[in-house]
Amino acid sequence: QVQLVESGGGLVHAGGSLRLSCAASARTFSSYAVAWFRQAPGKEREFVAAIRWSGGSAHYTDSVKGRFTISRDNAKNTVYLQMNSLKPEDTAVYYCAAALYYSDYANQRDYDYWGQGTQVTVSS
């Protein structure tokens, strides 16, 4: 079992930055791949970024490449999403998710555990 808690969301102006954190309870957290998804009002939840167990392989949706960076600190059982050059279209609830195994890093159905979400709002 893995319990995930997101934090770090808030209100920022366009061009600003935020760092989201996903803290996990599992002792074996380093064995899990972790991803960030987001959901804006009236829209479906979409993939944002994913990182493997080693932290050496990261994936991003095209709209955030070059602006967002996913990283992890296994010693702290925490995954981060550094978000720079934020745009109003980044406004959403951001969720972290963990999977022991997955076939498609962007498929939310491949993730077994989810956090409660943290709100990110970017004003123009």
Side-chain angles (χ1 to χ4, degrees):
Q1 294 288 334
V2 178
Q3 305 294 325
L4 304 174
V5 179
E6 303 97 331
S7 62
L11 174 64
V12 298
H13 57 78
S17 299
L18 284 173
R19 188 182 74 165
L20 305 183
S21 298
C22 176
S25 63
R27 184 178 66 255
T28 58
F29 183 61
S30 62
S31 299
Y32 290 80
V34 177
W36 289 93
F37 292 81
R38 66 186 181 186
Q39 186 168 25
K43 296 184 178 181
E44 295 185 348
R45 186 163 53 191
E46 66 172 345
F47 169 77
V48 178
I51 189 166
R52 286 189 173 273
W53 308 268
S54 67
S57 180
H59 305 275
Y60 302 91
T61 191
D62 287 344
S63 64
V64 308
K65 288 181 178 177
R67 300 189 298 120
F68 291 11
T69 302
I70 187 171
S71 63
R72 68 190 301 164
D73 186 342
N74 288 333
K76 296 182 178 180
N77 283 358
T78 301
V79 170
Y80 304 97
L81 184 67
Q82 179 66 45
M83 305 186 296
N84 298 326
S85 301
L86 283 162
K87 304 174 180 180
E89 49 263 45
D90 295 318
T91 295
V93 176
Y94 284 70
Y95 300 89
C96 67
L100 188 58
Y101 303 101
Y102 60 58
S103 297
D104 180 359
Y105 59 79
N107 188 345
Q108 62 186 291
R109 293 175 296 178
D110 281 9
Y111 291 84
D112 303 301
Y113 305 100
W114 292 80
Q116 82 291 341
T118 186
Q119 177 71 49
V120 171
T121 302
V122 184
S123 64
S124 59

